[in-house]
Amino acid sequence: MLPFEFTIEGPPLSHQTRNRQNLQNWKGQVSTAAQDALADDVEPILDNVSVTITYYYEDTSPDVDNIIKPIQDALIGIVFVDDDQVVDTKSRKRLLNGSFRIRGASAKLLLAFSEGKNFLHIKVEEEPNMEVLD
């Protein structure tokens, strides 16, 4: 199953939003996008993982640290059993109309770029080598 990746149209919601209903709706959208990207018979993994979230945006963007928690919560029971399995997280934002050199881009990422809308690219991979500090 790993690496596993999917995209979802943005903007993401911050964990700090005061509108809890909108936050629950956002988590539901993330869950649905992840489920749609997975094969039907795939069970949540039990191993530790690394999660990378990149938000490609045009105008404004929430703080990158505030978008992590809702996304990880939305993946519980779908990609992994519990978010305590996430041992490494990277969250970043990039201007959608920026200049990029892309190496080894997946078809999913390229398709999202071609649509020209704000989007998030979420990638779940095997845990990094825990004996290497960087």
Side-chain angles (χ1 to χ4, degrees), residues 88-123:
D88 197 37
T89 303
K90 183 187 300 184
S91 182
R92 54 196 179 185
K93 58 185 177 180
R94 302 289 188 266
L95 283 170
L96 182 60
N97 296 319
S99 177
F100 302 102
R101 282 185 292 159
I102 302 174
R103 294 184 182 130
S106 68
K108 291 179 184 185
L109 180 59
L110 295 175
L111 178 62
F113 268 116
S114 74
E115 293 176 359
K117 299 177 182 177
N118 293 351
F119 73 95
L120 290 98
H121 177 247
I122 300 161
K123 189 170 187 177

Side-chain angles (χ1 to χ4, degrees), residues 4 6 8 24-38 70-76 78-79:
F4 168 68
F6 66 101
I8 182 170
Q24 291 307 315
N25 291 344
W26 168 244
K27 287 181 186 181
Q29 292 172 20
V30 173
S31 294
T32 298
Q35 288 170 332
D36 289 349
L38 280 172
I71 292 170
Q72 286 184 180
D73 286 350
L75 300 180
I76 294 171
I78 299 168
V79 179

